[in-house]
Amino acid sequence: MIIAKEIRNQLFFFGKVETMSWGAYAWTGGDYFLEFKVQGYKLKGFVRITLNGLDLYDICFKNHKGEAIKEIKDVYNEDMVDIIDNEVETDNGKY
């Protein structure tokens, strides 16, 4: 759970307003991942962020049924918020 808490802290550090705009709730985590539900403009479903073996993150976007619809691998922590925001809420920073 330590890694899940750190991922969440990084999301809020790099983009508190953006993270809150996703309507994120139902935060769950494990040894190497954090998953939460989102109610964004573009995506209503789940986001799962997993720490991989390169100390980077893999981000999986899932629909409301939990089926994976897109995965982005090897993401740096400072890029997570922009990538998630682009998939969940905006189109290249435009609402």
Side-chain angles (χ1 to χ4, degrees), residues 3-4 6-15 18-19 22 34 36 47-51 56-59 61 72 74-88:
I3 292 174
E6 183 60 31
I7 295 170
R8 185 175 173 171
N9 288 342
Q10 289 173 1
L11 288 174
F12 279 97
F13 177 79
F14 287 109
E18 291 88 345
T19 303
W22 307 330
L34 174 70
F36 52 94
V47 176
R48 184 181 184 109
I49 305 168
T50 305
L51 180 66
L56 300 173
Y57 296 106
D58 297 335
I59 304 172
F61 301 93
I72 301 172
D74 299 333
V75 175
Y76 290 96
N77 63 348
E78 63 266 17
D79 297 329
M80 280 193 302
V81 170
D82 289 338
I83 289 171
I84 295 169
D85 196 56
N86 198 41
E87 297 297 324
V88 172

Side-chain angles (χ1 to χ4, degrees), residues 22-26 35-48 60-67 69 87-88:
W22 307 330
Y25 67 103
E35 184 170 284
F36 52 94
K37 292 182 180 181
V38 293
Q39 293 293 317
Y41 176 71
K42 288 173 54 180
L43 176 67
K44 291 174 180 37
F46 301 86
V47 176
R48 184 181 184 109
C60 183
F61 301 93
K62 302 176 183 181
N63 63 20
H64 68 282
K65 295 178 183 178
E67 302 164 336
I69 54 176
E87 297 297 324
V88 172

